[in-house]
């Protein structure tokens, strides 16, 4: 049973570019959340997708957008990259919205470096 | 909103030493509390949880007790091993019902255990 997978594992971009990160949830899961983890800090919630809609959003600008596909996989898009967007981006999946955080499984993350 | 404060690292210990990582929280109501661990190069893993006051969560020799009076959830382990070297995060869910399983994390504490 594959867990949460994310691609790519590492990525280098320059300021002003756009980036797309991908996440495949654990088998049987239909809800995907994205977190940004800056170096030396705890993860910060970006947004959550369920039934192909954004259900919750953290304190992130509109440059951060997402999408969920019918197969429950998800993409995180960041436009007009800033140096401060350099971070580890974590995807977490779960089933439905009613379960507690303990039902979430995290992927290994995509490390983005913006130069 | 909810917030978590945990002691800054790094914490460097010798094998078989006692480990404690302090965590205090601010929240509306009495949320469940969690400790996550992030091993080098890996995603977050749920280490333990406690769902109500005076509950003790435990796993892999780690323990933490939910202290409502002091709003604390300190992580402890009697005898650490080199394999416990990781970053540890204290976390709690958003308590508003509609927020799903969004998590708020502390800043993380890096633990290095030397043989």
């Amino acid at each position: 049973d594959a867990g949460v997978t994310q691609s790519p594992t590492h990525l280098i971009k320059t300021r002003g570019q756009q980036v797309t990160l991908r996440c495949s949830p654990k088998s049987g899961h239909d809800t995907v959340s994205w977190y940004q983890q800056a170096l030396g800090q705890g993860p910060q919630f970006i947004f959550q997708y369920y039934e192909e809609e954004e259900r919750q959003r953290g304190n992130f600008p509109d440059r951060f957008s997402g999408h969920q596909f019918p197969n429950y996989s998800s993409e995180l898009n960041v436009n007009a990259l800033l140096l401060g967007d350099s971070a580890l981006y974590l995807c977490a999946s779960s089933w439905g919205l009613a379960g507690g955080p303990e039902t979430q499984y995290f992927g290994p993350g995509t490390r983005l470096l913006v130069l | 909103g909810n917030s978590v404060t945990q002691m800054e690292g790094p914490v460097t210990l010798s094998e078989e030493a006692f480990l404690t990582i302090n965590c205090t929280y601010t929240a509306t109501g009495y949320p469940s509390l969690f400790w996550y661990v992030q091993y080098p190069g890996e995603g977050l893993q749920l280490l333990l949880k406690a769902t109500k006051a005076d509950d003790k969560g435990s796993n892999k020799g780690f323990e933490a007790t939910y202290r409502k009076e002091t709003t604390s959830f300190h992580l402890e382990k009697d005898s650490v091993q080199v394999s416990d070297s990781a970053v540890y995060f204290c976390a709690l869910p958003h308590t508003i019902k509609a927020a799903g399983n969004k998590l708020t994390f502390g800043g993380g504490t890096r633990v290095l255990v030397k043989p």
Side-chain angles (χ1 to χ4, degrees), chain A residues 15-96:
Chain A
R15 280 179 297 175
Q17 284 189 313
Q18 179 266 344
V19 69
T20 297
L21 310 181
R22 296 176 176 82
C23 171
S24 292
K26 179 179 170 61
S27 178
H29 286 183
D30 58 4
T31 304
V32 173
S33 299
W34 287 92
Y35 290 81
Q36 180 196 64
Q37 185 180 3
L39 192 63
Q41 298 182 23
Q44 300 288 320
F45 176 79
I46 302 175
F47 43 52
Q48 182 181 68
Y49 277 84
Y50 172 70
E51 292 186 336
E52 302 180 47
E53 290 186 10
E54 184 182 293
R55 299 291 178 154
Q56 290 286 321
R57 190 177 183 93
N59 189 26
F60 279 81
D62 292 344
R63 298 187 296 110
F64 289 77
S65 63
H67 187 77
Q68 185 178 35
F69 298 93
N71 68 352
Y72 310 123
S73 66
S74 176
E75 289 182 348
L76 164 64
N77 300 293
V78 186
N79 294 322
L81 284 166
L82 303 174
L83 296 180
D85 295 331
S86 295
L88 179 68
Y89 288 85
L90 296 169
C91 170
S93 75
S94 58
W95 186 84

Side-chain angles (χ1 to χ4, degrees), chain B residues 6-91:
Chain B
Q6 59 181 105
M7 61 186 285
E8 292 187 16
V11 175
T12 303
L13 304 164
S14 296
E15 211 165 18
E16 300 183 1
F18 176 77
L19 169 67
T20 182
I21 303 175
N22 291 342
C23 169
T24 57
Y25 66 90
T26 302
T28 303
Y30 303 104
S32 298
L33 300 173
F34 304 87
W35 276 101
Y36 284 82
V37 59
Q38 188 173 39
Y39 297 105
E42 298 184 17
L44 292 171
Q45 299 177 24
L46 178 63
L47 179 60
L48 55 82
K49 69 171 184 176
T51 57
K52 61 183 186 295
D54 299 326
D55 260 4
K56 178 183 286 187
S58 61
N59 185 27
K60 299 182 180 180
F62 289 89
E63 292 183 341
T65 301
Y66 190 158
R67 302 289 188 196
K68 183 178 66 174
E69 304 79 14
T70 54
T71 61
S72 65
F73 192 53
H74 304 324
L75 182 68
E76 298 179 337
K77 185 172 185 181
D78 278 339
S79 176
V80 293
Q81 305 300 312
V82 172
S83 58
D84 294 324
S85 298
V87 182
Y88 294 82
F89 295 92
C90 186

